[in-house]
Amino acid sequence: MSVYLDYQSAKPMDERVVEAMSPYFTRDFGNASSLHRVGDTATNALERSRAAVAHFIGAQSEEIIFTSGATEANNLALIGFAQRNKHKGDHIIISETEHISIHNIAKFLEKNGFSVSKVPVDQYGKIATQKIKDRISEKTILMSIAYANNEIGTIQPLTEIAELCKQHDIVLHTDAVAAEGLLALDIQSLNVDMMSLSSNDLYGPKGIGALFVKEGIKIVPHMIGGGQEFGLRSGSENIPGIVGMAKAAEIMAHTMPAEIERFTIYRDRLIKEILANIPNSHLNGHPTDRLANNAHFRFDGIEGESLLLALKDKEIEVSTGSACSSKTLEPSHTLIALGLLHEEAHGSLEITVGRFTQDADIDSAIQAIPKVVKQLRALSPLYKEE
Ligand code: PMP
């Protein structure tokens, strides 16, 4: 059994979720739009699940739109809102460290008549609200800032940002995917207007997610059809997926406090041991305002990809960064935004723990990584230990 420490890229489903979904593939296979009994069963499951996901973030049921995942939720939020509200203004603000989906949606909007400002972050990946203030104009209608970063785990001052948005009548969207299960996602106290969620980050199935849209916020759909999901996302609902996401959220609400405590111990142990045992190693991201499950390093003179492959040989599965961006050879835009050089960004390693991580997994990583780094450095003509 390999040591899996890449929970940010993908999480195994919780067996209880698989069990909850199971009947909806076969016995309770109905279409929620059908008016007969089989359809009623699907409708009931759909609405129960909507209420559960809404409850998880402190929203009302009618404010939850099920989508195929957070990518679609991000598209619906940003494009749907921008197109519907263009008469109010054409300026959007995001941060430099947003998820690749937000960056690419922003590019699409720029090609379609909107202007986008990207707020920089400091060396730890944190946004200073003053930098946002400098970019707000009377044309700004929308801001999209992730609650926490999916690569380096830095947590943003979202409530402060929300306050700023309220002062300037700007709608605030947050991609909360990286924060799922690691930070409380209460939309009332966070004071956000739209929030994207992905089911897999709750240990639910992939290919399902949701967008929270606060009552009164108007958006246009981009999936046109039979008018499901309040007319905002047409197509027969993925009932097993939706039931799975809801079950995963219910479980998470109970397990979260203890899990955060356990992950923090793992994370802090990884950070302490790796930095102490590997000369010229550095922590990426914020030293304290970081997700409980995230340890992200860079090692001088090391190429992240070689490190990952050498660890793979030892059956330790880690990551060099966002799996969503692995199809490009470019260094991570998040690490570049911290001010790192290309070679520093390429020399990075992301370790993320999760529900099924055990003490022995952390022991293995702490033993293997310093050895592998030493071996790779010995082979490198560029690396000289001071
Ligand atoms: N946002 C963030 C921060 C992510 O990490 C991911 C990938 N899990 C997504 C959006 C896209 O989510 P999905 O795969 O559900 O479309």
Side-chain angles (χ1 to χ4, degrees), residues 4-10 99-100 149-153 284 294-298 303-309 317-328 330-336 340 344-352:
Y4 183 77
L5 293 170
D6 189 16
Y7 274 78
Q8 183 53 53
S9 297
H99 185 257
I100 189 163
N149 185 268
N150 58 302
E151 286 180 62
I152 53 172
N284 291 324
N294 177 298
H296 200 298
F297 304 99
R298 63 181 193 282
E303 216 270 305
E305 206 105 311
S306 325
L307 180 54
L308 186 137
L309 295 176
E317 323 282 355
V318 289
S319 169
T320 52
S322 171
C324 306
S325 317
S326 66
K327 291 199 167 47
T328 106
E330 289 298 306
S332 144
H333 67 274
T334 298
L335 297 179
I336 295 298
L340 297 186
E344 291 175 320
H346 273 305
S348 289
L349 185 77
E350 179 177 357
I351 302 178
T352 42

Side-chain angles (χ1 to χ4, degrees), residues 8 69-71 74 99 101 150 175 177-178 198 201 324:
Q8 183 53 53
T71 303
N74 286 344
H99 185 257
S101 60
N150 58 302
D175 176 334
V177 172
S198 182
D201 288 75
C324 306

Side-chain angles (χ1 to χ4, degrees), residues 269-270 273-274 277-278 311 314 316 359-375:
R269 213 181 133 216
L270 279 163
E273 300 280 340
I274 297 279
N277 292 317
I278 305 181
L311 288 168
K314 294 187 181 303
I316 295 181
D359 294 4
D361 298 328
I362 305 298
D363 296 341
S364 302
I366 285 171
Q367 275 168 22
I369 296 170
K371 277 191 206 145
V372 172
V373 168
K374 199 166 182 185
Q375 282 161 4

